[in-house]
Amino acid sequence: MFDTIRRRRVAGISLRGSLAACGRGFAAALLVAVAGCAVGPDFAPPSAPVASNWLEWRNKSLQTGPEEYKDWWRVFHDPILDQLIEIAYAQNLTLLSAGTRVLQARAELGIAIGEFFPQKQQAAGGVTYNLLSQANPAANPTTGIVNFWADAIGVQAAWELDFWGKFRRGVESADSAYLGSIATYDDVLVTLLGDVARTYVGIRTIERQLAIARENIVKQRGILTIARDKYQGGAATLLDVYQAENVLGATQATVPQLTIQLQQGLNALRVLLGMEPRPLGFLLARSTGQIPVAPRKAVIGVPADLLRRRPDIRAAELRAAAQSAQVGVAVADLYPAISITGSFGGIANNVGSHNLLQVFHPIGQAFSVGPAFQWNLLNYGQITNNVRLQDATLQQYLVDYQNTVLKAQQEVENGISAFVLSRAQAEYLHRSVVAANGALHIATLEYQQGTRDFTTVLTAEQNLYQAENNLAVATGNISTGLVSVFRALGGGWQIRDGNGFVTAAASEEMRRRTDWGQLLPPASEPPPPAPGLPGPEDRGPAVRAPEW
């Protein structure tokens, strides 16, 4: 009896020693993995050609002071536009889709973080009945047992140590991709705000054009009446009547054409607002035909501000940062993969005096642990060429970043030109409208008095309609030009601060399907913090605790 107790104690001490050794080995392996090098390039922010100032910075309509453009649309002082912006932010489906891509990237980051730790962990167990062949005496020559039960239970793990930084580079890449998805979301948001404002201004401009067309139709009908009266009185020919009808018909034909454009604008606005086809009078009827008025001066900052404010520039930089880390992942494959494998569990059978329950007894315990390595030597250039592929892709993304910076400056310059020159055009057209009104008034009086031919009247009424229509278009272009400037400067993404990337309804639907943990908290809790406008400096540590 005492001998049995002693054996159990010895077995227990041996098991505790094995577990302690395993713990020390795990700690040592973790230290080696963390302290190992990280092959591949360390990302450095790329340089890009940036002008010192805008070409039109001296224009009296522009200012170069600092500005964040958080809610730039409010410079138009149009409450309907403000309401449309709020609805679009809450309901636009393209923005919601971009928000779900942020959650995808965050989950992929969690996967990359988990790759750093033991990549294979399994618990297994089973009970089997075994019947040995009696035609093979060598199967069990000592006992002669041909049938027995056996069981086993245990865990096994395999851990490829991050000696060369492969998994840390993977976390770095996934973190950059996650931050890049946020920057892409912000870019979609900036584009959405600009599209809503531009579409709204376009709708108001067309409404104004329709009003002008209808006003001129009334005037031209009056002139047609005069021509008919003179014809019936014998003071004019039928040619005057036909010419008046021709001009009137041409003006009337613009109404259906403009109405088509108006309907197309309204349809586009519905999509931006995330609405099905339905009347928008409840949103737009209060100021029909009133084109939002741009301020006399616009603050445009300096080109260097684009690098810190434009989401698409940040996204391009983060795309390059993620790819830079992928170069390191590829380089790590050139070196041997060093691993630690181990297993622990119990094995028993019912042969002789043994029984299946001994699988849980110290004498049934089994344990093994040890290092291993794997080195792909004859890969026929595949690994080397994969490194080259990843490096070429990195270079492509660096060039794309530079091109994004150039295009951003182009968009700002285009918007500035449209804003400044449309204002000058509108001033000329305003004087043209005043003159055309006077010319038509005088020509009509002289025609009635018989001192002027009808061709002069026709020319005057055509010139008036064209001048008024052009003035409406130029007035709208002033506002759309300023919208283009603000959109190109990259403002407006700040309205997402403190909000989640998906709507409350989408969040609740996803939570019902899947356990999102704190990545997607209930509506009653604040969303996880996110960087204002992300950059490579917002990446977290390469080694972090797993996210369950």
Side-chain angles (χ1 to χ4, degrees), residues 517-536:
Q518 290 305 307
L519 296 183
L520 200 60
S524 58
E525 299 180 13
L533 187 60

Side-chain angles (χ1 to χ4, degrees), residues 56-64 294-301 415-424 427 478 482 485-486:
E56 298 285 343
W57 68 275
R58 291 187 178 87
N59 191 282
K60 62 181 180 180
S61 296
L62 305 175
Q63 294 179 345
T64 56
R296 295 297 304 176
K297 290 183 177 292
V299 181
I300 58 173
I416 290 174
S417 297
F419 172 63
V420 172
L421 298 179
S422 293
R423 172 155 283 164
E427 292 174 356
I478 298 173
L482 186 57
V485 171
F486 288 142

Side-chain angles (χ1 to χ4, degrees), residues 214-298:
R214 293 185 176 108
E215 291 169 2
N216 277 269
I217 287 172
V218 173
K219 295 176 182 177
Q220 291 170 12
R221 280 174 175 163
I223 293 175
L224 174 59
T225 300
I226 295 173
R228 282 175 175 164
D229 291 343
K230 291 184 63 100
Y231 168 69
Q232 292 173 356
T237 66
L238 189 59
L239 176 63
D240 292 353
V241 176
Y242 285 154
Q243 287 178 323
E245 289 176 344
N246 172 259
V247 172
L248 174 60
T251 305
Q252 289 173 324
T254 63
V255 173
Q257 179 184 1
L258 290 171
T259 303
I260 292 172
Q261 297 175 20
L262 177 61
Q263 292 299 328
Q264 292 173 343
L266 292 172
N267 292 334
L269 182 61
R270 292 184 185 98
V271 173
L272 294 173
L273 300 181
M275 292 181 177
E276 72 281 3
R278 57 170 165 165
L280 293 178
F282 70 101
L283 285 174
L284 304 177
R286 285 175 290 171
S287 58
T288 301
Q290 297 181 13
I291 302 174
V293 179
R296 295 297 304 176
K297 290 183 177 292

